[in-house]
Amino acid sequence: MSQSPFRDDVLAGKTAFIAGGTSGINLGIAKRFAELGARVAVLGRNPEKAASAADEIGHDAIWRAADVRDYGAICEAMKSVRDEIGALDIVVSGAAGNFLAPVLGMSANAFKTVVDIDLLGTFNVFRGCHELLNPGASLIAITAGQAEQAMAMQAHACAAKAGINQLVRTLAIEWGPDVRVNGISPGPIADTEGMARLAPDESTRQQHYARIPMKRWGTCYEIAEAAVYLSTPAASYVTGAILDVDGGSSVGDASRTSPNKGLA
Ligand code: NAP
Ligand code: COA
């Protein structure tokens, strides 16, 4: 693991709300924000899971339970977070649902479910938090490569994440200069629910590794460092960007390159 370039108080005095921050990549982001001094609140649907995530984060992290598809509930949760730990400087929208299914194997409700959690959920979180923000706030949507690269068995996620990327860009235009709005597009990340669902067996995992220029899956920590970057003055002129943190996956398929001999 390379050493972090960030000082351990780089987010001191900042308040961060992370929708979907109760497991996986988003929990990794919440932990890193807290380690670097931010006051952190995480939200998921399941209250026991959310409480346990807050315990794991430590640093007086708090939690809320609500469904991002429910605009009233998510607004109420974010307002109560603002009342408890202060106006928001960083908001991450990372809640998502996914499963492998061909279009003819998904009902209209199955398609709608993923679009509602991912895309409508991100609209709800960002629309609802606007009045709770401090000037200069950083909003980050967690998107995915499916937004740009069509994939079989992923029509719902492709449509939802493509919508998220355009929502990010639109909000960057509408809400600049007071608020910066960006996306992070992770590649395949080790030890996550997402990859357990999308690459459930060893042969699929081997195919994934081969295609990635970096020849490995990423870590939650590497995504968290990107989220820290977007939330510091180092990114003060960055808005409307989708930051690919994917080992080069979005650039092209590396499965036909010769084995890397390594540098001397
Ligand atoms: P995960 O562990 O399943 O995390 C999903 C989080 O969202 C949990 O906290 C979950 O908590 C919450 N959530 C789900 N539906 C919700 C809803 N309707 N309302 C509120 N909260 C909800 O997933 P992950 O694999 O780490 O993925 C996290 C993000 O990274 C997602 O946006 C995903 O699309 C993106 N991503 C992941 C990968 C990967 O390799 N894993 C790659 C690219 C992009 P509850 O279940 O308690 O609600
Ligand atoms: N294939 C096809 N359809 C599926 C499916 C699958 N593997 N899994 C669920 N569906 C369908 C259901 O049958 C239902 O459609 P129907 O009403 O026409 O029968 C629809 O999707 C909604 O399912 P439901 O279980 O009611 O949704 P939910 O809101 O309780 O849960 C999910 C949402 C399905 C996305 C669930 O997997 C989830 O909560 N995921 C969160 C964690 C996650 O996906 N993490 C990875 C993030 S990348």
Side-chain angles (χ1 to χ4, degrees):
M1 181 72 62
S2 56
Q3 214 180 347
S4 174
F6 298 112
R7 282 172 45 151
D8 59 11
D9 62 351
V10 72
L11 297 180
K14 302 288 182 193
T15 299
F17 173 81
I18 298 118
T22 64
S23 62
I25 291 173
N26 308 311
L27 174 57
I29 293 172
K31 282 183 183 166
R32 191 71 187 126
F33 282 175
E35 277 170 8
L36 298 178
R39 293 181 298 270
V40 165
V42 290
L43 173 138
R45 285 165 302 179
N46 180 324
E48 289 82 27
K49 184 174 160 185
S52 144
D55 270 356
E56 190 177 331
I57 295 163
H59 300 275
D60 298 322
I62 64 169
W63 62 272
R64 296 289 185 271
D67 194 315
V68 293
R69 290 169 283 191
D70 181 340
Y71 184 70
I74 192 76
C75 287
E76 195 181 316
M78 291 192 292
K79 277 186 188 135
S80 77
V81 164
R82 186 270 318 268
D83 292 345
E84 187 169 341
I85 60 175
L88 307 176
D89 299 291
I90 308 167
V91 175
V92 177
S93 174
N98 203 350
F99 47 81
L100 287 172
V103 168
L104 296 181
M106 65 175 80
S107 65
N109 189 46
F111 183 85
K112 179 178 185 299
T113 296
V114 171
V115 171
D116 280 358
I117 300 173
D118 294 27
L119 177 55
L120 179 65
T122 299
F123 173 86
N124 288 345
V125 169
F126 286 173
R127 172 72 179 84
C129 79
H130 187 266
E131 64 176 279
L132 311 172
L133 298 175
N134 274 323
S138 166
L139 271 48
I140 302 169
I142 307 301
T143 177
Q146 287 94 320
E148 307 285 348
Q149 179 68 53
M151 268 178 223
M153 318 281 276
Q154 287 285 275
H156 46 13
C158 289
K161 295 296 194 182
I164 288 176
N165 287 13
Q166 285 295 63
L167 179 62
V168 162
R169 295 173 182 127
T170 305
L171 290 180
I173 294 169
E174 290 193 7
W175 290 356
D178 298 329
V179 179
R180 293 180 302 105
V181 189
N182 293 290
I184 294 176
S185 181
I189 302 302
D191 305 320
T192 59
E193 181 62 28
M195 288 321 291
R197 288 175 182 232
L198 299 191
D201 55 73
E202 189 52 31
S203 108
T204 321
R205 281 192 286 278
Q206 291 301 333
Q207 287 168 22
H208 272 278
Y209 297 139
R211 283 195 219 107
I212 304 168
M214 296 291 285
K215 300 294 180 197
R216 66 174 175 84
W217 284 4
T219 65
C220 291
Y221 184 85
E222 288 172 317
I223 304 304
E225 287 287 272
V228 175
Y229 159 69
L230 288 174
S231 305
T232 65
S236 54
Y237 204 48
V238 180
T239 194
I242 304 295
L243 180 54
D244 294 313
V245 187
D246 64 356
S249 302
S250 51
V251 177
D253 180 348
S255 58
R256 299 182 69 195
T257 54
S258 24
N260 185 352
K261 304 245 174 1
L263 297 175

